[in-house]
Amino acid sequence: MAHRVRILETGEVTHNVRRFKFERPAGFKFEPGQATEVAIDRDGWREEKRPFTFTGLRDWDHLEFTIKIYSGHNGVTNQLAGLKAGDALLIDDPWGTIRYKGKGTFIAGGAGVTPFIAILRDLADRDEIAGHRLIFSNRTERDIIMRDTWERMDGLDCLFVVTDEPGSSLSGGRIDRDFLRRGVSDFGQNFYVCGPDRMVEDVNAALEELGAEPDALVFEK
Ligand SMILES: Cc1cc2nc3c(=O)[nH]c(=O)nc-3n(C[C@H](O)[C@H](O)[C@H](O)COP(=O)(O)OP(=O)(O)OC[C@H]3O[C@@H](n4cnc5c(N)ncnc54)[C@H](O)[C@@H]3O)c2cc1C
């Protein structure tokens, strides 16, 4: 069922990622990690639905998306970048297979961190963040979404990786089998993986080769 919701506030997260806070329809519920189909309530854009993930907490009085803007072509995200408070979105009911199922390591690439924003915020809110790990890969340091938030979460073990910035003090290189073998000591834990399709396939395959159980891999199916 489509809900028409007004944007309450927009803001910058990184140079190409924006946050959208918007009205929460009465009784609207979602689980951290879930997404929905979104369209802009404007002529010519209502049929252009794209999936975005709820990044706020379940008990907030508003909803939130954190969206990477592709300004290189006139798609939905380029249009979203121009919206302001008072403009309206059409959202469907929540869906998605990324759900928290216990302690583990979160492996994200770029905007693939969005389902983990809700899950990790929820764990921090419940004082249960300790013992979790976030491995977050981006092209460069300026692409890292909400770096301060992750670094401030007491007990979250953060490892930032950049693939295209040789001068950076952060870990370089791709998250491949070698990287995981060196950087992960326990393959019996849960792994949550989200990012570009290719990255998710490669990381899941590497984790299984290294001993992770297929049932312990959580990703969008
Ligand atoms: C379950 C799920 C949840 C998601 N949640 C989020 C989220 O919370 N936040 C988020 O930022 N993203 C999220 N995404 C991804 C998001 O849906 C896409 O980034 C979005 O659909 C892009 O829409 P668009 O209309 O701007 O681009 P599209 O037109 O849909 O194009 C998408 C891709 O193609 C490329 N592309 C297409 N045409 C051109 C062109 N002419 N020139 C240059 N590049 C082009 C774009 O660079 C981009 O990589 C999610 C995806 C899924 C499947």
Side-chain angles (χ1 to χ4, degrees), residues 17 33-36 45 48-55 65-70 72-79 95-96 111-112 114-115 145 194 197 220:
V17 174
Q34 285 192 310
T36 190
W45 290 97
E48 295 289 331
K49 294 184 177 181
R50 301 287 189 277
F52 295 106
T53 310
F54 297 104
T55 53
F65 292 137
T66 304
I67 296 182
K68 179 170 174 183
I69 308 297
Y70 293 95
H73 70 288
N74 194 22
V76 171
T77 60
N78 187 52
Q79 285 290 317
W95 51 265
T114 50
I145 294 173
C194 191
D197 290 347
E220 197 64 58

Side-chain angles (χ1 to χ4, degrees), residues 36-172:
T36 190
E37 298 293 327
V38 181
I40 298 169
D41 189 21
R42 262 194 195 160
D43 289 350
W45 290 97
R46 291 186 188 92
E47 303 309 315
E48 295 289 331
K49 294 184 177 181
R50 301 287 189 277
F52 295 106
T53 310
F54 297 104
T55 53
L57 284 174
R58 274 177 290 205
D59 59 358
W60 285 1
D61 57 1
H62 61 276
L63 297 171
E64 181 192 273
F65 292 137
T66 304
I67 296 182
K68 179 170 174 183
I69 308 297
Y70 293 95
S71 53
H73 70 288
N74 194 22
V76 171
T77 60
N78 187 52
Q79 285 290 317
L80 281 166
L83 298 188
K84 51 189 186 328
D87 291 331
L89 303 175
L90 300 168
I91 65 166
D92 278 337
D93 290 332
W95 51 265
T97 55
I98 297 188
R99 296 279 184 97
Y100 182 71
K101 56 187 263 187
K103 275 213 170 114
T105 293
F106 295 81
I107 302 176
V113 78
T114 50
F116 306 155
I117 296 177
I119 291 173
L120 294 172
R121 272 178 162 169
D122 183 54
L123 288 168
D125 195 52
R126 291 190 280 119
D127 256 342
E128 291 177 14
I129 195 73
H132 294 84
R133 190 169 196 212
L134 173 65
I135 302 178
F136 190 8
S137 177
N138 284 277
R139 292 210 170 105
T140 68
E141 288 195 44
R142 69 197 277 266
D143 298 315
I144 301 175
I145 294 173
M146 294 171 55
R147 179 174 179 175
D148 287 357
T149 303
W150 311 129
E151 288 179 334
R152 276 201 310 266
M153 279 188 183
D154 213 12
L156 177 67
D157 177 9
C158 299
L159 177 59
F160 300 110
V161 181
V162 290
T163 53
D164 293 329
E165 193 174 358
S168 167
S169 60
L170 300 179
S171 272

Side-chain angles (χ1 to χ4, degrees), residues 107 133 135 159 161 171-185 187 202-211:
I107 302 176
R133 190 169 196 212
I135 302 178
L159 177 59
V161 181
S171 272
R174 302 185 74 75
I175 304 181
D176 54 14
R177 190 177 187 281
D178 245 26
F179 177 98
L180 293 165
R181 191 176 43 74
R182 278 184 278 112
V184 176
S185 52
F187 288 94
D202 291 353
V203 168
N204 281 347
L207 287 169
E208 282 195 43
E209 275 173 44
L210 291 162

